[in-house]
Amino acid sequence: MILLLGFFASYKYMTYTMKGPNDLFSTNLFVSSMINLAVHSLSIFGWFLYAWPRSEVQFINGLNLGVWLYISSELIFVALMLNKYRKEEVIGVTQAVIDAVKTRSVKIYEGMKSTIENQTVLRRKKKHNS
């Protein structure tokens, strides 16, 4: 429950600060991420105080779960914010990457095709000369 509160606190902070005239996306995203990290760190510390006296294995398993929850919530948060505030930029960069991959893959395919054809011609010449 606390981890969800951290996520929503980060989300609310980001949406509140982006409404102002000074909408510095990267700075606000960094501060929101630090809020999320602080809440997760405090909850993991609370887990340490609760679980360590009981069982070390329980603490390690909970720590592992807490780290993965933090990573996944951070990725979801950044993806949401990029989608909400920088949608056009993300779409433009994605399209540029796709275009580059298409052009390069066609060039690579053509290069491989000509190399294979050259090797086939050389093999035929060797067979013919033998």
Side-chain angles (χ1 to χ4, degrees):
M1 200 67 176
I2 293 172
L3 302 178
L4 286 174
L5 285 172
F7 181 82
F8 287 118
S10 298
Y11 183 81
K12 283 297 183 185
Y13 174 81
M14 185 73 176
T15 54
Y16 177 74
T17 55
M18 289 302 287
K19 289 179 184 175
N22 190 6
D23 57 345
L24 298 171
F25 179 75
S26 57
T27 305
N28 292 334
L29 185 66
F30 178 76
V31 171
S32 297
S33 294
M34 289 301 109
I35 290 171
N36 201 8
L37 176 64
V39 170
H40 276 80
S41 297
L42 289 174
S43 64
I44 287 175
F45 181 70
W47 179 252
F48 170 74
L49 293 177
Y50 169 77
W52 188 261
R54 298 174 192 270
S55 168
E56 293 175 13
V57 173
Q58 184 180 12
F59 168 71
I60 298 297
N61 289 337
L63 180 65
N64 191 15
L65 177 66
V67 168
W68 282 110
L69 284 174
Y70 168 70
I71 291 170
S72 61
S73 74
E74 194 65 37
L75 288 174
I76 291 169
F77 176 71
V78 169
L80 280 172
M81 293 301 109
L82 284 173
N83 186 38
K84 187 171 185 174
Y85 294 109
R86 300 286 190 225
K87 194 174 201 172
E88 295 80 23
E89 292 176 20
V90 172
I91 290 172
V93 168
T94 306
Q95 190 61 41
V97 168
I98 290 171
D99 292 342
V101 167
K102 282 182 182 177
T103 344
R104 289 187 182 147
S105 61
V106 167
K107 289 179 183 177
I108 291 170
Y109 171 73
E110 290 172 355
M112 287 172 48
K113 186 178 176 182
S114 66
T115 303
I116 292 170
E117 289 172 353
N118 291 340
Q119 288 177 352
T120 307
V121 168
L122 289 174
R123 285 183 194 148
R124 286 182 186 161
K125 285 182 182 180
K126 283 182 181 180
K127 283 183 182 179
H128 183 63
N129 290 335
S130 296

PDB file of all heavy atoms in Angstrom, residues 85-103:
ATOM      1  N   TYR A  85       3.640  13.834 -21.550  1.00  0.00           N
ATOM      2  CA  TYR A  85       4.184  15.160 -21.807  1.00  0.00           C
ATOM      3  C   TYR A  85       5.097  15.253 -23.021  1.00  0.00           C
ATOM      4  O   TYR A  85       5.311  16.328 -23.544  1.00  0.00           O
ATOM      5  CB  TYR A  85       4.961  15.653 -20.569  1.00  0.00           C
ATOM      6  CG  TYR A  85       4.048  15.881 -19.407  1.00  0.00           C
ATOM      7  CD1 TYR A  85       4.068  15.031 -18.313  1.00  0.00           C
ATOM      8  CD2 TYR A  85       3.142  16.925 -19.410  1.00  0.00           C
ATOM      9  CE1 TYR A  85       3.219  15.229 -17.249  1.00  0.00           C
ATOM     10  CE2 TYR A  85       2.286  17.128 -18.347  1.00  0.00           C
ATOM     11  CZ  TYR A  85       2.336  16.280 -17.269  1.00  0.00           C
ATOM     12  OH  TYR A  85       1.490  16.475 -16.227  1.00  0.00           O
ATOM     13  N   ARG A  86       5.650  14.176 -23.444  1.00  0.00           N
ATOM     14  CA  ARG A  86       6.583  14.212 -24.572  1.00  0.00           C
ATOM     15  C   ARG A  86       6.180  13.232 -25.664  1.00  0.00           C
ATOM     16  O   ARG A  86       7.025  12.630 -26.298  1.00  0.00           O
ATOM     17  CB  ARG A  86       7.999  13.880 -24.094  1.00  0.00           C
ATOM     18  CG  ARG A  86       8.527  14.834 -23.066  1.00  0.00           C
ATOM     19  CD  ARG A  86       8.894  16.150 -23.702  1.00  0.00           C
ATOM     20  NE  ARG A  86       9.610  16.972 -22.750  1.00  0.00           N
ATOM     21  CZ  ARG A  86       9.352  18.245 -22.565  1.00  0.00           C
ATOM     22  NH1 ARG A  86       8.420  18.840 -23.265  1.00  0.00           N
ATOM     23  NH2 ARG A  86      10.047  18.934 -21.706  1.00  0.00           N
ATOM     24  N   LYS A  87       4.902  13.095 -25.875  1.00  0.00           N
ATOM     25  CA  LYS A  87       4.391  12.094 -26.808  1.00  0.00           C
ATOM     26  C   LYS A  87       4.941  12.298 -28.221  1.00  0.00           C
ATOM     27  O   LYS A  87       5.396  11.366 -28.872  1.00  0.00           O
ATOM     28  CB  LYS A  87       2.870  12.145 -26.822  1.00  0.00           C
ATOM     29  CG  LYS A  87       2.218  10.977 -27.467  1.00  0.00           C
ATOM     30  CD  LYS A  87       0.714  11.068 -27.295  1.00  0.00           C
ATOM     31  CE  LYS A  87       0.086   9.722 -27.454  1.00  0.00           C
ATOM     32  NZ  LYS A  87      -1.314   9.722 -27.128  1.00  0.00           N
ATOM     33  N   GLU A  88       4.926  13.539 -28.694  1.00  0.00           N
ATOM     34  CA  GLU A  88       5.382  13.812 -30.056  1.00  0.00           C
ATOM     35  C   GLU A  88       6.871  13.520 -30.209  1.00  0.00           C
ATOM     36  O   GLU A  88       7.305  12.978 -31.217  1.00  0.00           O
ATOM     37  CB  GLU A  88       5.096  15.270 -30.446  1.00  0.00           C
ATOM     38  CG  GLU A  88       3.622  15.621 -30.525  1.00  0.00           C
ATOM     39  CD  GLU A  88       2.987  15.886 -29.170  1.00  0.00           C
ATOM     40  OE1 GLU A  88       3.721  16.223 -28.209  1.00  0.00           O
ATOM     41  OE2 GLU A  88       1.762  15.726 -29.060  1.00  0.00           O
ATOM     42  N   GLU A  89       7.655  13.887 -29.194  1.00  0.00           N
ATOM     43  CA  GLU A  89       9.092  13.640 -29.257  1.00  0.00           C
ATOM     44  C   GLU A  89       9.395  12.142 -29.252  1.00  0.00           C
ATOM     45  O   GLU A  89      10.229  11.670 -30.016  1.00  0.00           O
ATOM     46  CB  GLU A  89       9.797  14.293 -28.077  1.00  0.00           C
ATOM     47  CG  GLU A  89       9.774  15.800 -28.127  1.00  0.00           C
ATOM     48  CD  GLU A  89      10.390  16.422 -26.892  1.00  0.00           C
ATOM     49  OE1 GLU A  89      11.160  15.730 -26.195  1.00  0.00           O
ATOM     50  OE2 GLU A  89      10.096  17.587 -26.623  1.00  0.00           O
ATOM     51  N   VAL A  90       8.698  11.410 -28.399  1.00  0.00           N
ATOM     52  CA  VAL A  90       8.924   9.967 -28.324  1.00  0.00           C
ATOM     53  C   VAL A  90       8.524   9.295 -29.632  1.00  0.00           C
ATOM     54  O   VAL A  90       9.237   8.434 -30.147  1.00  0.00           O
ATOM     55  CB  VAL A  90       8.154   9.358 -27.130  1.00  0.00           C
ATOM     56  CG1 VAL A  90       8.211   7.844 -27.153  1.00  0.00           C
ATOM     57  CG2 VAL A  90       8.706   9.887 -25.827  1.00  0.00           C
ATOM     58  N   ILE A  91       7.398   9.716 -30.187  1.00  0.00           N
ATOM     59  CA  ILE A  91       6.951   9.146 -31.456  1.00  0.00           C
ATOM     60  C   ILE A  91       7.947   9.480 -32.558  1.00  0.00           C
ATOM     61  O   ILE A  91       8.281   8.628 -33.384  1.00  0.00           O
ATOM     62  CB  ILE A  91       5.530   9.641 -31.799  1.00  0.00           C
ATOM     63  CG1 ILE A  91       4.518   9.015 -30.833  1.00  0.00           C
ATOM     64  CG2 ILE A  91       5.171   9.318 -33.243  1.00  0.00           C
ATOM     65  CD1 ILE A  91       3.119   9.571 -30.957  1.00  0.00           C
ATOM     66  N   GLY A  92       8.466  10.704 -32.566  1.00  0.00           N
ATOM     67  CA  GLY A  92       9.448  11.101 -33.572  1.00  0.00           C
ATOM     68  C   GLY A  92      10.738  10.300 -33.469  1.00  0.00           C
ATOM     69  O   GLY A  92      11.267   9.833 -34.478  1.00  0.00           O
ATOM     70  N   VAL A  93      11.226  10.126 -32.249  1.00  0.00           N
ATOM     71  CA  VAL A  93      12.457   9.353 -32.046  1.00  0.00           C
ATOM     72  C   VAL A  93      12.227   7.890 -32.426  1.00  0.00           C
ATOM     73  O   VAL A  93      13.064   7.270 -33.088  1.00  0.00           O
ATOM     74  CB  VAL A  93      12.947   9.470 -30.584  1.00  0.00           C
ATOM     75  CG1 VAL A  93      14.023   8.462 -30.270  1.00  0.00           C
ATOM     76  CG2 VAL A  93      13.428  10.874 -30.317  1.00  0.00           C
ATOM     77  N   THR A  94      11.081   7.352 -32.029  1.00  0.00           N
ATOM     78  CA  THR A  94      10.768   5.965 -32.374  1.00  0.00           C
ATOM     79  C   THR A  94      10.693   5.780 -33.880  1.00  0.00           C
ATOM     80  O   THR A  94      11.229   4.805 -34.426  1.00  0.00           O
ATOM     81  CB  THR A  94       9.438   5.543 -31.721  1.00  0.00           C
ATOM     82  OG1 THR A  94       9.510   5.786 -30.322  1.00  0.00           O
ATOM     83  CG2 THR A  94       9.145   4.082 -31.974  1.00  0.00           C
ATOM     84  N   GLN A  95      10.059   6.716 -34.566  1.00  0.00           N
ATOM     85  CA  GLN A  95       9.957   6.629 -36.025  1.00  0.00           C
ATOM     86  C   GLN A  95      11.337   6.734 -36.673  1.00  0.00           C
ATOM     87  O   GLN A  95      11.633   6.021 -37.631  1.00  0.00           O
ATOM     88  CB  GLN A  95       9.033   7.729 -36.565  1.00  0.00           C
ATOM     89  CG  GLN A  95       8.691   7.574 -38.023  1.00  0.00           C
ATOM     90  CD  GLN A  95       7.956   6.283 -38.308  1.00  0.00           C
ATOM     91  OE1 GLN A  95       7.096   5.868 -37.559  1.00  0.00           O
ATOM     92  NE2 GLN A  95       8.314   5.641 -39.394  1.00  0.00           N
ATOM     93  N   ALA A  96      12.189   7.597 -36.151  1.00  0.00           N
ATOM     94  CA  ALA A  96      13.545   7.727 -36.689  1.00  0.00           C
ATOM     95  C   ALA A  96      14.340   6.430 -36.499  1.00  0.00           C
ATOM     96  O   ALA A  96      15.056   5.999 -37.399  1.00  0.00           O
ATOM     97  CB  ALA A  96      14.268   8.891 -36.015  1.00  0.00           C
ATOM     98  N   VAL A  97      14.179   5.800 -35.351  1.00  0.00           N
ATOM     99  CA  VAL A  97      14.872   4.536 -35.101  1.00  0.00           C
ATOM    100  C   VAL A  97      14.364   3.448 -36.039  1.00  0.00           C
ATOM    101  O   VAL A  97      15.145   2.691 -36.626  1.00  0.00           O
ATOM    102  CB  VAL A  97      14.709   4.110 -33.625  1.00  0.00           C
ATOM    103  CG1 VAL A  97      15.149   2.671 -33.399  1.00  0.00           C
ATOM    104  CG2 VAL A  97      15.472   5.048 -32.720  1.00  0.00           C
ATOM    105  N   ILE A  98      13.053   3.387 -36.209  1.00  0.00           N
ATOM    106  CA  ILE A  98      12.472   2.381 -37.110  1.00  0.00           C
ATOM    107  C   ILE A  98      12.949   2.609 -38.539  1.00  0.00           C
ATOM    108  O   ILE A  98      13.311   1.656 -39.236  1.00  0.00           O
ATOM    109  CB  ILE A  98      10.930   2.401 -37.021  1.00  0.00           C
ATOM    110  CG1 ILE A  98      10.478   1.846 -35.670  1.00  0.00           C
ATOM    111  CG2 ILE A  98      10.299   1.607 -38.162  1.00  0.00           C
ATOM    112  CD1 ILE A  98       9.007   2.010 -35.391  1.00  0.00           C
ATOM    113  N   ASP A  99      12.969   3.860 -38.990  1.00  0.00           N
ATOM    114  CA  ASP A  99      13.446   4.161 -40.339  1.00  0.00           C
ATOM    115  C   ASP A  99      14.915   3.776 -40.507  1.00  0.00           C
ATOM    116  O   ASP A  99      15.303   3.226 -41.545  1.00  0.00           O
ATOM    117  CB  ASP A  99      13.247   5.643 -40.665  1.00  0.00           C
ATOM    118  CG  ASP A  99      11.784   6.019 -40.792  1.00  0.00           C
ATOM    119  OD1 ASP A  99      10.942   5.099 -40.970  1.00  0.00           O
ATOM    120  OD2 ASP A  99      11.470   7.221 -40.711  1.00  0.00           O
ATOM    121  N   ALA A 100      15.728   4.067 -39.505  1.00  0.00           N
ATOM    122  CA  ALA A 100      17.146   3.720 -39.582  1.00  0.00           C
ATOM    123  C   ALA A 100      17.337   2.207 -39.639  1.00  0.00           C
ATOM    124  O   ALA A 100      18.152   1.707 -40.416  1.00  0.00           O
ATOM    125  CB  ALA A 100      17.891   4.306 -38.381  1.00  0.00           C
ATOM    126  N   VAL A 101      16.566   1.493 -38.844  1.00  0.00           N
ATOM    127  CA  VAL A 101      16.667   0.031 -38.856  1.00  0.00           C
ATOM    128  C   VAL A 101      16.242  -0.521 -40.215  1.00  0.00           C
ATOM    129  O   VAL A 101      16.899  -1.409 -40.767  1.00  0.00           O
ATOM    130  CB  VAL A 101      15.829  -0.586 -37.715  1.00  0.00           C
ATOM    131  CG1 VAL A 101      15.664  -2.084 -37.894  1.00  0.00           C
ATOM    132  CG2 VAL A 101      16.457  -0.272 -36.373  1.00  0.00           C
ATOM    133  N   LYS A 102      15.166   0.032 -40.758  1.00  0.00           N
ATOM    134  CA  LYS A 102      14.711  -0.438 -42.069  1.00  0.00           C
ATOM    135  C   LYS A 102      15.768  -0.192 -43.136  1.00  0.00           C
ATOM    136  O   LYS A 102      16.072  -1.076 -43.929  1.00  0.00           O
ATOM    137  CB  LYS A 102      13.414   0.275 -42.471  1.00  0.00           C
ATOM    138  CG  LYS A 102      12.186  -0.253 -41.786  1.00  0.00           C
ATOM    139  CD  LYS A 102      10.960   0.492 -42.284  1.00  0.00           C
ATOM    140  CE  LYS A 102       9.708   0.039 -41.603  1.00  0.00           C
ATOM    141  NZ  LYS A 102       8.532   0.812 -42.023  1.00  0.00           N
ATOM    142  N   THR A 103      16.327   1.022 -43.173  1.00  0.00           N
ATOM    143  CA  THR A 103      17.321   1.342 -44.211  1.00  0.00           C
ATOM    144  C   THR A 103      18.570   0.495 -44.043  1.00  0.00           C
ATOM    145  O   THR A 103      19.084  -0.033 -45.025  1.00  0.00           O
ATOM    146  CB  THR A 103      17.757   2.815 -44.124  1.00  0.00           C
ATOM    147  OG1 THR A 103      16.868   3.560 -43.346  1.00  0.00           O
ATOM    148  CG2 THR A 103      17.853   3.444 -45.464  1.00  0.00           C
TER     149      THR A 103
END
